[in-house]
Amino acid sequence: MGRLELGVSVGHGRSVALHQFHEGALRVLRPHYLDDSGQVCYVVVNPGGAYLGADLFLIDVEVGDSASLLLTTQSATKIYRTPGSFAEQRMTLRLGEGARLELMPDQFIAYREASYRQRTSVTLQPSSSLVMAEVVTPGWSPDGAAFRYEEVRLRNHICVETGAGTELLALDNLLIRPPLHDVTGLGFMEGYSHLGSLVVADPRVDQALADELHLLTADHRALTGISLTRTVSGTTGLVLRSLSNSTDELNRLLRSCTDLLRGRWYGQEPLDLRKH
C-alpha cells in the first residue's frame, strides 16, 4: 500500500508545494526547477522498487490556479508476478484555472504473470493544460517471448468543469490480455511489442496541431496514429498511440512531441531530466 498527496500553488513568482503527504511505499524527492519558467518538478519514488500482487497505490495531485507542475518518476515502474490479485494504481488529478500539468513517468515494464490496472481521473478547467505521456514494455521472460504478462489495463477519465457542471472530454481505455487474445496480430499490436501513448488536453489543441505532430512522428521507427476528442468549453483533447519494438524509440518520439509543445506554448527548452 502506498499513498501520495501533492498540492501545488503559486508563491513568490513560481510554483511551490502547498500540501504534501506520503504514506507507505510512495515518496517524492525535493522539488527542482529545471529552468526559469517557475515550473516545479517533483520525482515520485517507490522505495520498494516494484509492484507486486495486491499492491494498491493511491496518488492525489492538485495543481492550483496558474500553477505549473512537471511530475515524473525516479525510474521505470516494474510489475512482477501478481499471484492471487492484480497490482493497481489509482491517480486523481485536479487542475485549476490556467494550471498546467506535465505527467512524464518512465516506462512501466510488465513481467511474466503480471497483472496491472491503472486508473487516472482528471478534472480540468477550460483554461487548464494537461500533457500525459506513457510507455508500456514487456519484461524479460525465460523463453524470450514478449507477451508473458497476464493483463495490462490503463483507463484515463478526463472531464472539464463548465458553468453547467462537469462534462466528459475523453474516456481512454486500453486493455491488453495476452493469454486471451492474439495481441501480436493485425488490429492490435501489429507485430510490435512496445506501446507509447500521449494524451493532451488544452484550448490550443486542433486539427492543425494533430497533423503537425503526425508529421513529426514520421521520422521515427514506429507506427503512429492520432485522434482528436470532442471540444468542451473550448478545450479539445488529443490522443496519440504509437507502436514500436524499442523503448528508446518510443521515448524519443514522445519527447519530440512534448518538446514541441513546451517550446511553442511556453518558450521552454527541450526537457532534460538527467536521471542517469
Side-chain angles (χ1 to χ4, degrees):
M1 177 73 179
R3 183 181 170 196
L4 174 65
E5 297 176 2
L6 180 64
V8 174
S9 64
V10 176
H12 304 290
R14 64 180 186 174
S15 298
V16 296
L18 183 66
H19 170 72
Q20 185 176 324
F21 172 83
H22 63 80
E23 180 179 46
L26 285 178
R27 303 282 192 279
V28 289
L29 301 181
R30 64 182 181 85
H32 294 272
Y33 296 88
L34 305 181
D35 54 31
D36 58 2
S37 68
Q39 181 185 47
V40 64
C41 173
Y42 274 97
V43 179
V44 178
V45 179
N46 176 3
Y51 289 11
L52 303 172
D55 282 355
L56 175 61
F57 296 87
L58 306 174
I59 301 176
D60 187 289
V61 176
E62 182 166 2
V63 186
D65 294 350
S66 301
S68 180
L69 170 64
L70 170 62
L71 192 64
T72 186
T73 53
Q74 186 180 41
S75 60
T77 298
K78 299 175 182 178
I79 320 297
Y80 290 138
R81 293 179 64 249
T82 56
S85 185
F86 53 84
E88 183 177 10
Q89 176 179 286
R90 302 176 193 165
M91 178 179 289
T92 301
L93 309 173
R94 296 181 300 278
L95 279 67
E97 291 286 358
R100 173 191 177 198
L101 172 63
E102 285 184 282
L103 186 60
M104 305 289 289
D106 284 310
Q107 68 272 13
F108 80 77
I109 308 171
Y111 286 87
R112 185 177 57 154
E113 299 178 35
S115 184
Y116 176 67
R117 298 182 183 180
Q118 179 176 290
R119 294 191 294 171
T120 304
S121 299
V122 186
T123 303
L124 307 168
Q125 300 297 323
S127 58
S128 303
S129 180
L130 171 72
V131 175
M132 300 193 301
E134 194 149 39
V135 173
V136 180
T137 75
W140 177 89
S141 63
D143 60 3
F147 296 99
R148 290 305 186 208
Y149 53 84
E150 295 291 319
E151 175 185 285
V152 169
R153 183 193 299 253
L154 307 177
R155 180 183 175 93
N156 297 316
H157 186 272
I158 304 173
C159 292
V160 179
E161 288 191 349
T162 69
T166 301
E167 291 191 40
L168 179 66
L169 178 70
L171 178 58
D172 181 31
N173 192 45
L174 173 69
L175 176 61
I176 307 175
R177 285 177 173 166
L180 299 183
H181 308 101
D182 179 14
V183 301
T184 64
L186 188 67
F188 212 112
M189 295 295 287
E190 304 278 354
Y192 296 96
S193 56
H194 295 51
L195 171 69
S197 295
L198 178 69
V199 177
V200 182
D202 189 284
R204 292 161 288 192
V205 170
D206 56 17
Q207 186 61 56
L209 177 64
D211 293 341
E212 185 174 2
L213 292 179
H214 196 271
L215 287 175
L216 188 62
T217 65
D219 294 331
H220 297 267
R221 298 190 307 275
L223 178 64
T224 303
I226 300 177
S227 300
L228 294 178
T229 72
R230 62 186 295 223
T231 299
V232 176
S233 293
T235 292
T236 305
L238 178 151
V239 178
L240 177 151
R241 288 273 198 269
S242 191
L243 302 174
S244 179
N245 290 315
S246 166
T247 299
D248 289 341
E249 189 67 28
L250 288 178
N251 282 332
R252 284 191 293 268
L253 184 151
L254 296 177
R255 190 60 55 83
S256 68
C257 294
T258 57
D259 284 345
L260 183 148
L261 300 179
R262 287 170 60 87
R264 177 170 302 172
W265 289 351
Y266 303 101
Q268 290 177 285
E269 296 295 323
L271 187 61
D272 182 6
L273 294 172
R274 301 190 190 93
K275 296 181 185 179
H276 307 293

